[in-house]
């Protein structure tokens, strides 16, 4: 049986950052007397200045630590700093770059980590993994602990670029194909799918897909997207792996990242595109995905992202090799240039 942890606090509300110190005290009793490192990036200081200053004022043993890159080396340098300075709590304020570095450093340093996102581009804010750059341009998904607390200020997220929120949508709807692949894997290995994890991941998907609010910049939508991303992260924590949220669509994304570094597409948009293709390969109806993609004006024409037919075909042919331990629909269908080329043309026609 997998042993899992849940955040001790989860706050999703308007103006949460205005009472952040109150929330932190509830989340980590005695935090005002502990050594705290507040991580962020330089570009966010003007935006979050008042909140950062208030935190430092009420947490006299705190200091600011700036993150430059989302790479393994930087996370380990921060972990070393935590250990050498006897830091007791780490708070991440920012996007995926800051949060992944802070999360992994806190895990290595064995201290509580509080997540305060400024955008919602993927489900890493509540997941038990951190994605960090390694040698060259390669990126690796590393297991770690989920946050001790998550504080989402809806008003702050409202200022995030629409493209970031679309990426968050993409990472959520990818569960449509990921859950199907998880069942394929379980049947192939003779294992049992964790029912509760499956339910949480499915709830993350359906709560986003079937909500009536379709404006990216509405407060109600921000709350729904946050809840979906958190549920996706918790599903992975309970399952003990990323299968509730990651299947063949993510393998396509990894293949693009590893083999076609010139392609500039966000993680969420890549897995959304991957889900459309995986859905076809799984022999399922793509209409539910297409409806949500259209509702949020997400561009699924691969050419508009610089993905030519040749790159598209190559990425799919090499996708299974990016995670050879993963059993997905890619292990059950015969991928050919003709099949993939036809799917590519279909995607372009629907632009």
């Amino acid at each position: 049986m997998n042993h899992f942890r849940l955040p001790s606090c989860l706050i999703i509300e308007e103006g949460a950052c205005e009472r952040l110190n109150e929330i932190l005290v509830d989340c980590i009793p005695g935090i005002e007397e502990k050594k705290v490192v507040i991580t962020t990036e330089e570009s966010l200081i003007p935006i979050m200045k008042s909140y950062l200053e208030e935190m430092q004022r009420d947490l006299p043993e705190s200091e600011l630590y700036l993150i430059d890159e989302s790479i393994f080396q930087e996370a380990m340098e921060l972990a070393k700093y935590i250990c050498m300075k006897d830091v007791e709590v780490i708070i991440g304020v920012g996007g995926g770059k800051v949060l992944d570095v802070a999360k992994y450093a806190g895990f290595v340093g064995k201290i509580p980590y509080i997540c305060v996102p400024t955008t919602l581009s993927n489900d890493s804010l509540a997941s038990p993994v951190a994605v960090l750059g390694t040698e060259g341009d390669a990126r690796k998904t590393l297991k770690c602990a989920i946050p001790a607390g998550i504080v989402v200020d809806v008003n702050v997220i409202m200022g995030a670029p629409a493209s970031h929120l679309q990426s968050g949508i993409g990472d959520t709807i990818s569960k449509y194909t990921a859950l199907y692949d998880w069942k394929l894997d379980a049947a192939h290995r003779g294992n049992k799918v964790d029912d509760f994890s499956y339910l949480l991941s499915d709830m993350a998907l359906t709560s986003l897909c079937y909500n009536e609010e379709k404006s990216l910049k509405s407060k109600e939508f921000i709350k729904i997207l946050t809840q979906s991303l958190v549920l996706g992260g918790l599903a992975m924590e309970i399952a003990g792996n990323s299968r509730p949220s990651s299947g063949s669509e993510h393998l396509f994304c990894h293949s693009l990242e590893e083999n076609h570094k010139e392609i500039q597409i966000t993680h969420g948009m890549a897995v959304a595109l991957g889900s459309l293709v995986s859905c076809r390969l799984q022999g399922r109806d793509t209409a539910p995905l297409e409806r949500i993609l259209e509702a949020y004006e997400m561009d699924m024409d691969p050419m508009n992202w610089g993905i030519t037919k040749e790159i598209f075909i190559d990425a799919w042919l090499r996708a299974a090799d990016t995670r050879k331990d993963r059993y997905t629909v890619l292990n059950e269908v015969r991928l050919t240039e003709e099949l993939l080329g036809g799917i590519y043309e279909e995607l372009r026609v629907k632009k």
Side-chain angles (χ1 to χ4, degrees), residues 61-73:
E61 293 295 313
S62 67
E63 57 183 304
L64 207 58
Y65 189 106
L66 297 182
I67 302 297
D68 292 322
E69 296 181 86
S70 179
I71 58 176
F72 179 75
Q73 181 180 351

Side-chain angles (χ1 to χ4, degrees), residues 281 308-318 334-345:
L281 298 177
T308 64
K309 183 187 288 189
E310 291 71 25
I311 291 175
F312 180 86
I313 292 172
D314 182 70
W316 275 106
L317 291 177
R318 301 167 74 176
R334 180 172 174 268
L335 295 181
T336 65
E337 292 188 10
E338 181 180 6
L339 171 64
L340 294 169
I343 293 175
Y344 181 89
E345 293 301 334

Side-chain angles (χ1 to χ4, degrees), residues 233-252:
L234 296 183
M236 289 187 272
E237 167 68 8
I238 293 170
N241 57 62
S242 61
R243 290 310 310 238
S245 298
S246 177
S248 49
E249 74 295 323
H250 272 72
L251 300 187
F252 167 70

